[in-house]
Amino acid sequence: MSFSKLYLASDHGGLTFKAAIRAHLEAQNIVVEDLGPHDTASVDYPDYAENLALALRDQEGAGGILICGSGIGISIAANRHPWVRCALAHDETTARLCREHNDANVLALGERVIGLATALACVDRFLDTTFEGGRHQKRVEKLTALPK
Ligand code: RB5
């Protein structure tokens, strides 16, 4: 795995994927901290994106996976935090490229948009791919520098 520590969170629309991803990772002896929710009550995705973003702050090398119904709201919320580069992926290619080119530290998935097998494949690519650096380095640095 390309992260020193891994966090997982969702809203109610991502609960099934969250449980399946957690089981998938634990079957590979990958330790993951589940930041909730822990029941089926309707919740607001910005709150769980914030929980995960705050867990990543000051933790060099840590990563996260966020799930909501579409993956859109929770990724927008996570990216409000300047130390988060959250990428919404829909297939293995986008999950791999967000690591290789964008050094994404958070993967977002939409439980109502992709199937579970695709979601697990996205997780695997996100975790086994490293940032290429090189020509991508200065572009990622510009992301952190924004807004001017
Ligand atoms: C919740 O119903 C749904 O709006 C949420 O999971 C997500 O799709 C928002 O972007």
Side-chain angles (χ1 to χ4, degrees):
M1 176 173 79
S2 59
F3 297 101
S4 57
K5 172 135 198 198
L6 193 62
Y7 295 92
L8 193 56
S10 73
D11 71 356
H12 54 285
L15 273 180
T16 303
F17 272 17
K18 179 161 73 62
I21 289 168
R22 184 175 170 176
H24 178 72
L25 294 172
E26 288 175 350
Q28 301 172 65
N29 295 316
I30 295 174
V31 178
V32 58
E33 190 167 336
D34 185 344
L35 299 175
H38 301 293
D39 59 45
T40 57
S42 180
V43 295
D44 299 330
Y45 56 79
D47 297 334
Y48 288 86
E50 182 175 14
N51 288 349
L52 189 138
L54 293 179
L56 292 188
R57 188 174 57 182
D58 306 326
Q59 275 207 72
E60 189 74 25
I65 300 170
L66 289 169
I67 311 114
C68 70
S70 64
I72 296 171
I74 210 158
S75 59
I76 291 172
N79 279 318
R80 302 280 298 168
H81 301 275
W83 58 91
V84 171
R85 288 179 301 282
C86 178
L88 173 56
H90 293 100
D91 52 36
E92 284 189 72
T93 302
T94 45
R96 173 177 56 80
L97 284 172
C98 78
R99 291 289 297 136
E100 284 180 351
H101 291 190
N102 313 112
D103 199 18
N105 55 359
V106 179
L107 173 71
L109 298 168
E111 181 169 321
R112 297 172 185 159
V113 178
I114 59 172
L116 179 59
T118 300
L120 296 179
C122 287
V123 167
D124 290 342
R125 291 297 76 71
F126 180 69
L127 296 183
D128 67 18
T129 306
T130 53
F131 180 48
E132 271 182 10
R135 70 187 191 280
H136 304 295
Q137 183 67 45
K138 73 175 191 305
R139 297 164 184 165
V140 169
E141 285 167 10
K142 285 185 178 185
L143 292 177
T144 308
L146 291 172
K148 286 205 167 56

